[in-house]
Amino acid sequence: MGYRPNPLVRSPMRGRSNIVGVGVGNVGNPFFVQTLQLLAEELDATGLRLMLFPARGERSEPSIREILHYRIDALVLLSVSPSSDLTEQCRRAQVPVIHYNRTTDLHDASSVVGDNEIGAHAMAAHLLAGRHERFAFIAGTPNSSTNREREREFCGYLAKKWNWKGLA
């Protein structure tokens, strides 16, 4: 007869939607394109689906109303620094938030990040090994945890190993 059950309609009965929301600030960034592809493949392999929520406006965060309109099982934020309002509303709705490429001071939040200390030290060491004498630190989003850590570690390494005074 061609009947197929609608998983969104059945989700209230099961208590799960099998949908993971993903908030992303810059969908055109090649780093995020690859991350989204890999995340979608891994979720699919476990029977979960990805629902994309692009960030909007100056705050670069997805719309809370849009996210909570759907019964998502979790929210992954790709390099998006959420407001306390978004975090609190997700907490009240019992939607876990996972930060990707960002950290947060919230005690119950999860983060997935690379080792910024090792990466920044490796870059500075590479420049010093090449006998470079003029350095620059080029960053992305100015107030992101990732950029703060990378800049602190890059400059700290140069100051320690080369007696460098800082960026001009």
Side-chain angles (χ1 to χ4, degrees):
M1 300 193 95
Y3 171 76
R4 284 181 269 170
N6 184 330
L8 290 177
V9 173
R10 294 172 61 193
S11 68
M13 293 179 282
R14 294 188 341 237
R16 294 195 51 172
S17 65
N18 291 333
I19 297 173
V20 175
V22 179
V24 61
N26 182 359
V27 181
N29 183 326
F31 175 72
F32 299 132
V33 172
Q34 184 178 12
T35 301
L36 285 169
Q37 178 67 37
L38 292 170
L39 182 59
E41 289 171 5
E42 290 299 318
L43 290 173
D44 186 60
T46 63
L48 299 172
R49 298 291 169 253
L50 179 147
M51 182 177 284
L52 186 64
F53 295 96
R56 294 193 184 124
E58 292 180 19
R59 293 175 62 198
S60 295
E61 109 178 352
S63 166
I64 297 169
R65 266 186 250 126
E66 286 182 35
I67 292 170
L68 297 180
H69 178 75
Y70 298 90
R71 288 187 175 275
I72 60 173
D73 293 335
L75 176 63
V76 177
L77 297 174
L78 300 184
S79 291
V80 173
S81 300
S83 67
S84 57
D85 190 36
L86 172 63
T87 304
E88 182 55 33
Q89 287 199 37
C90 286
R91 184 178 290 142
R92 275 189 260 148
Q94 297 181 329
V95 174
V97 177
I98 299 100
H99 301 266
Y100 181 86
N101 204 34
R102 291 284 187 274
T103 59
T104 179
D105 294 331
L106 300 172
H107 70 280
D108 60 346
S110 298
S111 296
V112 177
V113 294
D115 192 325
N116 292 316
E117 179 179 353
I118 289 175
H121 289 186
M123 291 303 300
H126 175 75
L127 293 172
L128 289 174
R131 299 184 187 269
H132 296 278
E133 296 180 8
R134 296 177 64 192
F135 307 100
F137 178 81
I138 300 172
T141 307
N143 294 320
S144 74
S145 61
T146 304
N147 285 323
R148 285 192 311 268
E149 290 172 16
R150 290 174 182 168
E151 182 177 7
R152 180 184 68 239
E153 295 300 330
F154 178 80
C155 294
Y157 185 91
L158 289 174
K160 181 179 175 184
K161 299 291 184 181
W162 197 60
N163 198 24
W164 187 57
K165 303 294 188 238
L167 297 172

